[in-house]
Amino acid sequence: MTVIGPNDPCPCGSGRKFKHCCGGSREGRVGALASAARESAIRKLLAFAFQSAFDEDHTVAEIVFWGDRLQGKSRSHELQWLMDSEDATIKYNSWFLFDWDVDGAGTVADLFLDEESESLNPHEREFLMRLAKAHLRLYEVEAIDRGRGVQLTDLWNRKRMFVIERTASQQIVTWDLLGARVASDGAGGLVFEGGLYLYPAEAKEHIVLHFRKLHRRYQRKFPTDDSAAFFRKHGMVFHHLWLDLVAFPEPPHVTTSEGHTLMFCRVLFDAAHIDDIRETLIRQPDIRPLEDGRLSWRERTEHGGQEIGIWSFEEQRVVFETTSQERAANGRRWLERLVGDLVRYRATALETLDETMNLLRTPRRPDPSEEHADVDTAPVRELYDRHYQTWLDRPVPALGNRTPRAAARTRIWRPRLIDLLKRIENGSERAALAGRPPYDFSWIWRELGLDRPHS
């Protein structure tokens, strides 16, 4: 085993000297030596896997791992950047080493343990044998112990487990959906190996059904194989799903009630007599003043009425905001017909839903000055309280237009309500990680008479 000197950097990655870190206790020394064995074992295995003898395997494996995205005439800049990233390299290497079948002779790790076993010390060999037993599976996060680990439920067999993970537990939130390779740490615990796939919580049903379909097809060919063999054979599917749902998701095609493509539009007009224009608009029967001084433009429908845009007023400028190019054009014609020369059209700014989603995906960097700010979150909690008290008795499309209270009383719709509450909690907790005020949903579960899963 690699000898660690007292003044060497600690293998745990802290950046401190070994004697001032893990070397300071017996448990720490054992952990550090295990970490050193892990690093040296992986280094030897990678050297074996990237010999010229495996060149053809890598050529085919890369196509299998990245799927149809490599079949185009040229790779996009975003895809190439992703392929070159450290995260993708770790995931590909883990899959190639422990899942890829080499001509029916086993995995690369199997071949290495058979052919190069003498190059390994007992600790390195033990580590690789533990990792060779692991494979990617689908998990739901049910609880988090920040800085220590996560409680998971295996969505295939419903088994529960605690996985030791210090770093990722700072970014994972309750009800997250993970594609993960869970392995024994050799000391009675479980750890993640080989990178994590984090999927949107709302994709749970889609992903589980996708794997169920693949499993039925697989069982027809290999009826005696267990779930471990199935998931190892389909390890690249975790990567394909992540590419489709997270890295390069298809933007939803959303339309307005008229069937027009939803697009955020901002129409700008120059104006010298703002007060006169505003008074003229207020007198129109379909205009409703808002508390912040803006005006809501509504149209009558057979269901009552719907808002089609908002008029706002700046210094020598009128602004109309709406959600389609057709509504923007109608708003321009309506205002020019109503006030004539009092306004002069300047421009229309357009933003597609895809562009908006890309902005929302960009993580907000917290301002250090805000981290310890004394912010009163009571008004936000009161706003959420009012919203969810109303929501309990409002028909929800995801529940077949039943109210949450009604869905909670039916055997068929209760599971869908529970999944919906999980997604709401997941989104709220992830928003809290980004700096927004947290919210406690426990009262909603009690109000609906539902047991929060494993609470």
Side-chain angles (χ1 to χ4, degrees):
M1 181 180 296
T2 303
V3 176
I4 308 171
N7 293 315
D8 290 338
C10 187
C12 76
S14 67
R16 303 169 64 192
K17 291 182 179 180
F18 179 57
K19 64 182 180 182
H20 296 313
C21 192
C22 294
S25 66
R26 182 183 180 281
E27 293 78 7
R29 288 193 296 273
V30 171
L33 292 174
S35 178
R38 177 190 186 281
E39 296 299 323
S40 60
I42 291 294
R43 187 167 57 250
K44 291 176 182 179
L45 177 56
L46 285 172
F48 175 81
F50 281 89
Q51 295 178 94
S52 58
F54 292 105
D55 285 351
E56 290 186 9
D57 285 279
H58 281 292
T59 299
V60 178
E62 184 179 75
I63 295 173
V64 172
F65 189 69
W66 290 96
D68 295 338
R69 296 188 180 274
L70 296 185
Q71 303 303 312
K73 293 182 179 179
S74 62
R75 297 175 185 173
S76 67
H77 172 74
E78 293 82 3
L79 178 60
Q80 190 61 55
W81 177 88
L82 183 60
M83 293 179 68
D84 294 338
S85 69
E86 181 182 9
D87 180 64
T89 300
I90 290 172
K91 289 172 178 173
Y92 170 79
N93 286 344
S94 299
W95 172 76
F96 184 78
L97 296 174
F98 299 102
D99 295 342
W100 175 255
D101 184 53
V102 184
D103 298 328
T107 66
V108 176
D110 292 335
L111 295 176
F112 178 66
L113 287 168
D114 286 343
E115 300 175 13
E116 303 289 336
S117 181
E118 293 182 358
S119 69
L120 300 170
N121 64 49
H123 301 282
E124 294 168 336
R125 188 180 304 108
E126 181 188 359
F127 165 74
L128 290 180
M129 291 179 68
R130 290 198 309 270
L131 192 51
K133 296 178 182 178
H135 52 275
L136 287 164
R137 294 179 78 98
L138 191 63
Y139 300 96
E140 185 176 59
V141 178
E142 65 176 53
I144 303 158
D145 187 347
R146 298 287 179 203
R148 182 169 176 266
V150 293
Q151 185 75 35
L152 303 178
T153 297
D154 186 323
L155 291 178
W156 197 256
N157 57 23
R158 308 309 301 178
K159 289 184 178 179
R160 300 175 66 211
M161 66 195 70
F162 184 83
V163 178
I164 302 166
E165 174 53 60
R166 296 180 181 178
T167 304
S169 66
Q170 301 289 354
Q171 302 300 323
I172 294 173
V173 300
T174 311
W175 311 127
D176 268 349
L177 200 61
L178 302 179
R181 192 182 301 269
V182 176
S184 168
D185 66 355
L190 297 173
V191 293
F192 291 130
E193 293 284 358
L196 292 175
Y197 291 104
L198 176 60
Y199 304 106
E202 61 269 20
K204 173 183 171 181
E205 183 177 5
H206 166 74
I207 294 177
V208 171
L209 288 177
H210 185 67
F211 274 112
R212 295 290 181 193
K213 181 179 179 180
L214 292 175
H215 186 251
R216 288 193 297 270
R217 188 184 307 166
Y218 182 81
Q219 273 196 319
R220 287 195 291 268
K221 293 183 178 180
F222 310 99
T224 60
D225 280 3
D226 60 10
S227 63
F230 163 72
F231 279 112
R232 181 167 282 112
K233 193 70 174 179
H234 292 82
M236 68 288 187
V237 176
F238 288 88
H239 192 64
H240 297 169
L241 287 168
W242 183 81
L243 289 172
D244 292 340
L245 297 172
V246 181
F248 304 104
E250 288 292 332
H253 182 64
V254 183
T255 62
T256 64
S257 58
E258 302 95 337
H260 301 140
T261 299
L262 189 144
M263 182 176 293
F264 301 104
C265 304
R266 182 177 168 88
V267 189
L268 307 178
F269 304 87
D270 286 340
H273 304 283
I274 296 295
D275 291 340
D276 293 341
I277 296 171
R278 190 175 189 281
E279 288 303 317
T280 299
L281 264 62
I282 287 178
R283 291 196 297 268
Q284 305 310 307
D286 294 329
I287 293 292
R288 298 287 184 274
L290 302 177
E291 292 183 359
D292 59 6
R294 298 183 301 165
L295 304 178
S296 171
W297 187 23
R298 305 180 65 82
E299 65 178 2
R300 298 184 182 91
T301 69
E302 58 181 8
H303 302 294
Q306 66 176 2
E307 184 177 85
I308 58 175
I310 295 290
W311 296 95
S312 59
F313 306 90
E314 304 171 0
E315 185 177 353
Q316 296 188 331
R317 174 170 289 180
V318 177
V319 180
F320 178 55
E321 295 175 289
T322 188
T323 52
S324 75
Q325 288 181 280
E326 290 78 9
R327 287 180 176 180
N330 289 340
R332 175 185 174 182
R333 288 193 294 269
W334 183 76
L335 182 64
E336 290 175 338
R337 187 166 55 247
L338 191 64
V339 300
D341 294 339
L342 291 181
V343 296
R344 185 162 70 93
Y345 170 75
R346 296 295 295 175
T348 299
L350 307 176
E351 186 176 277
T352 65
L353 181 59
D354 190 31
E355 291 169 335
T356 303
M357 290 172 65
N358 286 334
L359 288 174
L360 293 174
R361 289 189 202 108
T362 304
R364 172 183 176 269
R365 293 184 177 274
D367 186 342
S369 64
E370 298 175 356
E371 291 184 1
H372 303 290
D374 185 14
V375 179
D376 182 10
T377 61
V380 178
R381 289 197 301 272
E382 291 174 6
L383 179 64
Y384 280 140
D385 286 343
R386 289 197 299 272
H387 168 75
Y388 285 112
Q389 284 165 0
T390 304
W391 177 80
L392 292 174
D393 299 296
R394 192 167 64 233
V396 177
L399 300 174
N401 285 324
R402 293 164 176 78
T403 69
R405 288 191 196 277
R409 294 192 294 267
T410 64
R411 181 176 58 84
I412 295 177
W413 288 97
R414 193 179 303 120
R416 295 198 181 190
L417 173 60
I418 290 173
D419 278 341
L420 179 60
L421 288 172
K422 285 181 178 180
R423 294 200 299 270
I424 293 172
E425 282 194 1
N426 178 265
S428 176
E429 192 171 335
R430 187 155 296 285
L433 278 183
R436 298 179 187 175
Y439 187 75
D440 184 2
F441 288 86
S442 58
W443 72 269
I444 297 180
W445 294 89
R446 292 194 299 270
E447 183 74 13
L448 292 172
L450 299 174
D451 292 327
R452 188 177 181 276
H454 306 304
S455 58

